[in-house]
Amino acid sequence: MTLRERLLLRRLRDRDERAFRELVDEHRDKVFNLTYRMLGNRAEAEDVAQEVFISVFKTVDSFREESKFSTWLYRVTVNHCKNRIKYLARRHDRDQDQLDDAVDKTVAAAIGTGIPMTRPDRQLEGAQMEKLLQEAISQLDEEHRVVVVLRDIEDLSIEEICEITGLPDGTVKSRLHRARLALRKKLQRHL
Amino acid sequence: MGPADGDTQTIHEEIEALLSEYVEGTLPVADTERVAAHLAGCAGCRSAEADERAIRAQLGSLRPQAAPAELREQVTDTIHRRSAGRFFARRTLGDRVPLGLLLVVALAMLLTIVAALWASATGSLRDPPSRPEAPPATGEPVVPAP
């Protein structure tokens, strides 16, 4: 951990609101991207990201500084996502029609605002691929989804994933293999 | 399907199982060479390898999603609301030190005081030492006659 992180943690433990705001500003995109890729829905991702930061603030005393702060933050985020996935599954609320399509909105917005797009056909193609990928990720089991998102989207190392998930190296690798295989099968026509 | 077909199928499955790590470059050298040798002569597994690389590239190219700008305010508002404004208050000593530790310290201090009182000559908690019994009164003068 860097000295700056240690100082920030000390201020957080003193319930310094400004320190909390700094923490949120620094990590919100990372946390939100992970929750979004895990849940595939912007509203749910936003809600879970909020809960993550509230949990971090409430439980910062329990962080022993034996791991990197970002690893701990990822662990809290992953746990919240897993809980939300289970909750949504129980409520049968995983309606794929509600799957968010931020990309389509972005492309549409870009066209609407006249932002130059050299190859709109390619961009649209990319947007569609992104939507398909997100749908395919959302259909994976939670245990496979976690590893593939952390490895292939967040670009974390296998060691970091082991630390975040508490799983042994071999389990992470085999889940990663199964996850990619499942994605390949789902998206074979589009690759 | 004959035994040879079964063996071939097993080899393809073995290679398939190693493809993820092969593409990541985390396989041991011997396995890497075995997979590379197999891929050189197997179009089906080469296609699987290409798909593996493609899916990783696609996942890696997903654009990072930025958090909504209002997230910070939403979180801090939620914390204020849930804690009725107390959550960000400066912590008192009681908040910083766990209750269990405070109890242990209090108990230790109490024991120290009791031990000190027990050992001290004055203010002792012990029973007062028993005095030697007075000689029985005989009515005779204590001071002998000259």
Side-chain angles (χ1 to χ4, degrees):
Chain A
M1 280 214 321
T2 62
L3 178 64
R4 196 182 152 279
E5 273 185 332
R6 283 182 202 280
L7 290 174
L8 186 66
L9 279 171
R10 188 178 299 171
R11 288 168 57 210
L12 280 175
R13 287 178 177 133
D14 280 341
R15 295 185 181 169
D16 180 340
E17 184 168 350
R18 280 204 312 180
F20 182 69
R21 287 169 176 270
E22 281 174 38
L23 175 93
V24 176
D25 282 345
E26 195 169 328
H27 297 283
R28 63 181 177 188
D29 286 344
K30 186 197 290 186
V31 168
F32 181 76
N33 194 49
L34 179 54
T35 58
Y36 179 74
R37 293 303 173 197
M38 284 290 292
L39 300 166
N41 177 293
R42 207 167 174 87
E44 293 291 347
E46 221 176 295
D47 196 40
V48 171
Q50 270 202 52
E51 292 302 324
V52 167
F53 284 113
I54 292 169
S55 279
V56 164
F57 193 65
K58 280 166 74 177
T59 60
V60 71
D61 285 334
S62 68
F63 173 55
R64 298 189 182 283
E65 303 184 23
E66 287 161 358
S67 62
K68 284 199 292 185
F69 177 75
S70 60
T71 304
W72 185 65
L73 181 61
Y74 269 123
R75 195 181 306 148
V76 174
T77 309
V78 163
N79 288 341
H80 271 282
C81 287
K82 284 159 101 174
N83 288 342
R84 183 59 62 100
I85 289 167
K86 283 176 190 152
Y87 169 76
L88 292 174
R90 275 201 303 273
R91 281 185 50 192
H92 302 287
D93 198 24
R94 292 176 60 195
D95 185 356
Q96 292 302 308
D97 292 341
Q98 286 181 356
L99 199 79
D100 219 52
D101 186 9
V103 185
D104 280 353
K105 284 180 192 163
T106 310
V107 173
I111 293 167
T113 53
I115 293 170
M117 293 171 64
T118 49
R119 294 293 305 273
D121 54 335
R122 282 232 176 128
Q123 290 213 11
L124 197 59
E125 196 179 292
Q128 283 167 344
M129 188 63 198
E130 185 160 340
K131 186 180 180 185
L132 287 171
L133 260 176
Q134 186 59 58
E135 281 176 355
I137 294 167
S138 299
Q139 286 167 15
L140 291 175
D141 291 343
E142 161 247 302
E143 60 183 22
H144 292 120
R145 205 184 308 180
V146 171
V147 290
V148 86
V149 169
L150 291 177
R151 179 73 191 108
D152 290 340
I153 299 177
E154 297 295 325
D155 201 26
L156 300 184
S157 68
I158 299 288
E159 290 74 23
E160 284 173 303
I161 298 171
C162 292
E163 213 178 330
I164 290 164
T165 57
L167 294 169
D169 181 81
T171 308
V172 169
K173 284 179 180 170
S174 84
R175 285 187 185 179
L176 194 53
H177 168 66
R178 286 173 205 275
R180 287 176 184 156
L181 194 60
L183 291 176
R184 271 167 47 196
K185 282 181 181 166
K186 286 180 202 297
L187 299 168
Q188 202 150 34
R189 286 189 305 121
H190 307 280
L191 289 174
Chain B
M1 191 169 69
D5 292 336
D7 289 348
T8 308
Q9 185 59 31
T10 307
I11 291 168
H12 291 312
E13 284 169 4
E14 279 177 16
I15 298 298
E16 171 72 56
L18 296 173
L19 273 184
S20 243
E21 286 188 71
Y22 175 78
V23 167
E24 288 224 29
T26 55
L27 268 185
V29 178
D31 285 333
T32 303
E33 287 171 356
R34 190 159 69 93
V35 174
H38 179 85
L39 291 177
C42 177
C45 288
R46 271 204 306 279
S47 167
E49 182 212 0
D51 284 351
E52 181 83 13
R53 290 188 190 280
I55 197 74
R56 285 200 67 205
Q58 292 286 359
L59 289 166
S61 69
L62 285 174
R63 292 172 319 122
Q65 296 292 308
E70 62 275 14
L71 183 73
R72 188 184 68 184
E73 293 312 315
Q74 287 173 345
V75 179
T76 44
D77 285 352
T78 305
I79 290 176
H80 277 296
R81 197 175 58 249
R82 287 188 191 172
S83 68
R86 289 191 306 273
F87 215 74
F88 286 118
R90 217 133 171 108
R91 305 176 84 182
T92 61
L93 181 66
D95 291 330
R96 289 162 187 263
V97 183
L99 180 66
L101 183 62
L102 283 176
L103 284 175
V104 169
V105 170
L107 191 63
M109 285 173 69
L110 186 68
L111 287 174
T112 309
I113 292 168
V114 168
L117 287 173
W118 186 269
S120 69
T122 57
S124 168
L125 292 178
R126 283 181 292 185
D127 292 334
S130 55
R131 295 184 178 189
E133 281 183 23
T138 57
E140 292 177 9
V142 176
V143 180

